[in-house]
Amino acid sequence: MKNWLIGFKPKDEYFRCPEYFGNIEFETDDYFEMLSFILSEPNRDYDFYFKNKNNSQYRKGMILIHNNSMYLGIGATENYKNYLVDKLTEEYDKPPLVSNQLPYY
């Protein structure tokens, strides 16, 4: 989050695990506390959504943790998309997947 979601704020005001149903194991209003809880044991799935009101080039972001894998998504304008793809490609071994849709609002 510190490298790729600079300026983003969590969309939710509180977090609970399990996220949608079942007996609540953990609940907090601190994003980093929930992220630490999710990552502290295997097989904990969670979706984090972010908004960035201060930058019109990329207003949405997400971190999806499923099946012990983590996915980062950044919603960018068409002008900014190539810049983000280039930056992500420089930092990681594989080029990022690029989609024209984000799965939320």
Side-chain angles (χ1 to χ4, degrees), residues 27-66:
E27 190 169 16
T28 181
D29 61 358
D30 184 318
Y31 159 74
F32 288 106
E33 194 173 43
M34 180 54 84
L35 181 61
S36 295
F37 175 77
I38 297 301
L39 297 177
S40 68
E41 288 188 17
N43 301 315
R44 285 187 173 150
D45 295 344
Y46 211 88
D47 298 341
F48 294 100
Y49 297 102
F50 302 90
K51 55 189 174 183
N52 185 0
K53 294 181 180 178
N54 298 326
N55 191 323
S56 61
Q57 296 297 321
Y58 53 107
R59 291 187 172 258
K60 300 174 188 175
M62 63 185 178
I63 296 174
L64 308 178
I65 301 168
H66 291 275

Side-chain angles (χ1 to χ4, degrees), residues 2-105:
K2 291 177 183 175
N3 292 341
W4 292 104
L5 297 178
I6 297 165
F8 283 76
K9 303 291 181 204
K11 184 174 173 250
D12 297 323
E13 294 180 15
Y14 66 94
F15 309 91
R16 69 174 73 179
C17 184
E19 195 168 7
Y20 301 113
F21 56 86
N23 294 329
I24 296 172
E25 290 180 55
F26 188 75
E27 190 169 16
T28 181
D29 61 358
D30 184 318
Y31 159 74
F32 288 106
E33 194 173 43
M34 180 54 84
L35 181 61
S36 295
F37 175 77
I38 297 301
L39 297 177
S40 68
E41 288 188 17
N43 301 315
R44 285 187 173 150
D45 295 344
Y46 211 88
D47 298 341
F48 294 100
Y49 297 102
F50 302 90
K51 55 189 174 183
N52 185 0
K53 294 181 180 178
N54 298 326
N55 191 323
S56 61
Q57 296 297 321
Y58 53 107
R59 291 187 172 258
K60 300 174 188 175
M62 63 185 178
I63 296 174
L64 308 178
I65 301 168
H66 291 275
N67 300 319
N68 297 310
S69 296
M70 186 180 296
Y71 306 89
L72 167 68
I74 302 173
T77 61
E78 194 63 34
N79 311 356
Y80 203 69
K81 180 174 75 173
N82 291 336
Y83 169 79
L84 283 176
V85 168
D86 291 346
K87 296 300 280 180
L88 285 163
T89 302
E90 285 174 18
E91 191 162 325
Y92 298 98
D93 294 337
K94 296 181 180 179
L97 299 174
V98 178
S99 173
N100 292 326
Q101 296 179 355
L102 272 178
Y104 74 101
Y105 67 101

